Amino acid sequence: MTNIAVFASGTGSNAVNLVRTFNSGNRIHVALCLTDKENAPVIEKMRELGVETLYFPRSVWKENPQEIIDTLHAHDIKVIALAGFLCFLSADIVNAYEGKILNIHPSLLPAYGGKGMHGANVHKAVIEAGEAKSGATVHVVTNEIDAGPIVVQREVAVLPDDTPESLEAKVHEVEYQIFPEAVIKTVAALTPPAVPKSVDDAWAEALGVPNNVPPVPEHNQANFTNTTGQANQTAAPINPMNPTNPINAMNPVSPAMGPLKAQATQEPMPPTYLVWSVVMTILCCTIPGIVAIIYSAQVSSKFYQGDFEGAHRASRNAEIWIIVSFVLGVITNTLWLPLSIAGMF
């Protein structure tokens, strides 16, 4: 079991999403929530989910960061997730957890990052600049604001009629998808597991549930325990964008992207189909074959950039265009050969 902590200053929707994603399993566990706001809404939400929540005034965060570090060590915290945490984060804390603190930012960093760029400020700036796309980024926290290495990043389209509020809603959907992925990647890097058989197996392993068990209906609920050790009310992991639609722990579904899957760093690269693409281009139908070659070339580049989902998508597209090239080649040759023979007589 790897314990993680979340830091939050506001409503904590991303913090809640992480708890409901991981705390029904046995591999990753949100064990602690720290906040700098005494009456932050996240406090009650975390306590309802059985997560110990502690408030430290900003004076402690700035002047006595060792107290924070000691608290984290006492709970055996290995990774920290900043989920809407707006307080100053001391260099002492950053250095104590170097490479193990993740932050979720509502833009495609390095664009629209830095001081003052948070929440609605970011979305308003994106709209005013007339950008065609925005998105969300999970990055490693360093002593420079929003400048750490990017762990996961995903885009959303900015439409002409988008407002800061509508853009924020779309970005939130992406945040709920990529934050758990980033946590899994970071934990996997700390204690590399055996290579999973598939991406589905990696996700099931992170949740601590078997991947080959049929989904259990709505009665599949996870017990949460409060800070006194007593059983709290049960609640199945839910779709954060639709609280009335529970997510089955055996098959978690993200609001926009279907099954949410862990992109483990040890995942094997999908087939490129490059040889078949070249063969189809030469022997069958040239144009679809060239398209297949383009997608084949994207597989390895996307994989080594960390875009595992994009690599799988490129691999599938390459396979599809190989089939298209073959079918068109067969049809063309079938029609051309009788016509050629007929022309000889």
Side-chain angles (χ1 to χ4, degrees), residues 3 22 40 79 82 89 113 123 125 138 165 185 202 209 212 248 265 272 278 282 298 305-306 322 332 343:
N3 287 341
F22 293 124
V79 174
L82 306 188
L89 197 61
H123 307 304
V138 181
E165 292 75 21
K185 281 188 175 184
V209 297
N212 58 351
N248 192 292
T265 55
T272 64
V278 174
I282 297 173
Q298 292 177 358
Q305 289 171 2
I322 288 170
T332 302

Side-chain angles (χ1 to χ4, degrees), residues 21-22 152 154 176-185 198-207 211 250-254 257-265 267 308-309 312 316:
T21 298
F22 293 124
V152 184
R154 195 159 295 159
Y176 296 140
Q177 297 159 19
I178 67 174
F179 214 175
E181 293 179 21
V183 170
I184 290 172
K185 281 188 175 184
S198 69
V199 179
D200 288 320
D201 290 338
W203 180 254
E205 182 179 20
L207 289 177
N211 190 36
M250 299 297 180
N251 185 26
V253 178
S254 66
M257 300 295 291
L260 185 59
K261 301 173 181 178
Q263 309 291 354
T265 55
E267 178 190 347
F308 301 112
E309 182 181 339
H312 280 279
R316 289 194 299 271

Side-chain angles (χ1 to χ4, degrees), residues 110-123:
Y112 301 99
K115 189 174 182 179
M117 284 288 100
H118 55 80
N121 294 345
V122 175
H123 307 304

Side-chain angles (χ1 to χ4, degrees), residues 51-85:
V51 177
E52 182 176 355
T53 305
L54 300 175
Y55 158 69
F56 291 94
R58 290 197 170 186
S59 58
V60 173
W61 292 93
K62 292 183 178 182
E63 300 167 12
N64 189 17
Q66 189 59 46
E67 184 176 347
I68 306 293
I69 296 171
D70 291 342
T71 300
L72 295 170
H73 287 169
H75 289 78
D76 193 28
I77 299 300
K78 302 301 183 185
V79 174
I80 300 169
L82 306 188
F85 186 66

Side-chain angles (χ1 to χ4, degrees), residues 7 10 12 79 85 87 126 143 172 189 203 218 254 283 312 328 339:
F7 292 2
V79 174
F85 186 66
C87 179
V126 169
N143 287 313
H172 267 317
W203 180 254
E218 300 174 67
S254 66
L283 300 181
H312 280 279
L328 291 178
L339 292 175

Side-chain angles (χ1 to χ4, degrees), residues 6-21 41-42 45-46 49 83-84 104 168 172-173 175-176 179 238-241:
V6 292
F7 292 2
S9 299
T11 59
S13 60
N14 271 299
V16 169
N17 182 48
L18 291 176
V19 173
R20 287 174 169 161
T21 298
V42 69
K45 292 180 181 180
M46 290 292 102
L49 293 172
I104 185 84
E168 182 178 29
H172 267 317
E173 290 187 24
E175 290 178 351
Y176 296 140
F179 214 175
I238 70 167
N239 182 331
M241 298 304 294

Side-chain angles (χ1 to χ4, degrees), residues 18-344:
L18 291 176
V19 173
R20 287 174 169 161
T21 298
F22 293 124
N23 283 24
S24 59
N26 57 14
R27 298 302 297 259
I28 299 173
H29 184 76
V30 180
L32 182 66
C33 175
L34 300 186
T35 182
D36 62 314
K37 297 286 185 67
E38 187 173 8
N39 297 315
V42 69
I43 296 175
E44 185 60 30
K45 292 180 181 180
M46 290 292 102
R47 287 176 177 166
E48 288 176 356
L49 293 172
V51 177
E52 182 176 355
T53 305
L54 300 175
Y55 158 69
F56 291 94
R58 290 197 170 186
S59 58
V60 173
W61 292 93
K62 292 183 178 182
E63 300 167 12
N64 189 17
Q66 189 59 46
E67 184 176 347
I68 306 293
I69 296 171
D70 291 342
T71 300
L72 295 170
H73 287 169
H75 289 78
D76 193 28
I77 299 300
K78 302 301 183 185
V79 174
I80 300 169
L82 306 188
F85 186 66
L86 303 180
C87 179
F88 168 83
L89 197 61
S90 166
D92 291 347
I93 298 175
V94 174
N95 295 336
Y97 279 85
E98 184 177 3
K100 303 172 187 176
I101 305 178
L102 302 176
N103 181 52
I104 185 84
H105 186 80
S107 77
L108 297 175
L109 291 176
Y112 301 99
K115 189 174 182 179
M117 284 288 100
H118 55 80
N121 294 345
V122 175
H123 307 304
K124 182 179 179 181
V126 169
I127 295 291
E128 290 178 348
E131 300 284 2
K133 62 183 180 181
S134 186
T137 304
V138 181
H139 66 95
V140 175
V141 173
T142 63
N143 287 313
E144 186 177 352
I145 300 176
D146 296 333
I150 292 173
V151 181
V152 184
Q153 187 174 75
R154 195 159 295 159
E155 297 179 359
V156 299
V158 180
L159 303 179
D161 60 346
D162 266 329
T163 63
E165 292 75 21
S166 65
L167 178 58
E168 182 178 29
K170 290 194 288 187
V171 171
H172 267 317
E173 290 187 24
V174 170
E175 290 178 351
Y176 296 140
Q177 297 159 19
I178 67 174
F179 214 175
E181 293 179 21
V183 170
I184 290 172
K185 281 188 175 184
T186 304
V187 170
L190 297 178
T191 54
V195 178
K197 294 181 180 179
S198 69
V199 179
D200 288 320
D201 290 338
W203 180 254
E205 182 179 20
L207 289 177
V209 297
N211 190 36
N212 58 351
V213 176
V216 179
E218 300 174 67
H219 305 293
N220 177 28
Q221 297 180 326
N223 287 316
F224 298 100
T225 304
N226 61 25
T227 55
T228 64
Q230 296 176 335
N232 207 336
Q233 65 182 39
T234 59
I238 70 167
N239 182 331
M241 298 304 294
N242 184 5
T244 63
N245 181 21
I247 295 176
N248 192 292
M250 299 297 180
N251 185 26
V253 178
S254 66
M257 300 295 291
L260 185 59
K261 301 173 181 178
Q263 309 291 354
T265 55
Q266 292 81 10
E267 178 190 347
M269 184 172 70
T272 64
Y273 299 110
L274 183 58
V275 173
W276 281 108
S277 300
V278 174
V279 171
M280 291 299 107
T281 302
I282 297 173
L283 300 181
C284 294
C285 195
T286 303
I287 295 178
I290 293 174
V291 176
I293 290 174
I294 292 173
Y295 280 118
S296 296
Q298 292 177 358
V299 175
S300 58
S301 63
K302 289 180 179 294
F303 180 83
Y304 290 115
Q305 289 171 2
D307 184 4
F308 301 112
E309 182 181 339
H312 280 279
R313 186 165 55 248
S315 177
R316 289 194 299 271
N317 288 336
E319 184 180 12
I320 290 170
W321 282 101
I322 288 170
I323 295 172
V324 170
S325 178
F326 176 77
V327 171
L328 291 178
V330 170
I331 293 174
T332 302
N333 289 325
T334 301
L335 295 176
W336 176 81
L337 184 58
L339 292 175
S340 298
I341 295 174
M344 296 174 62

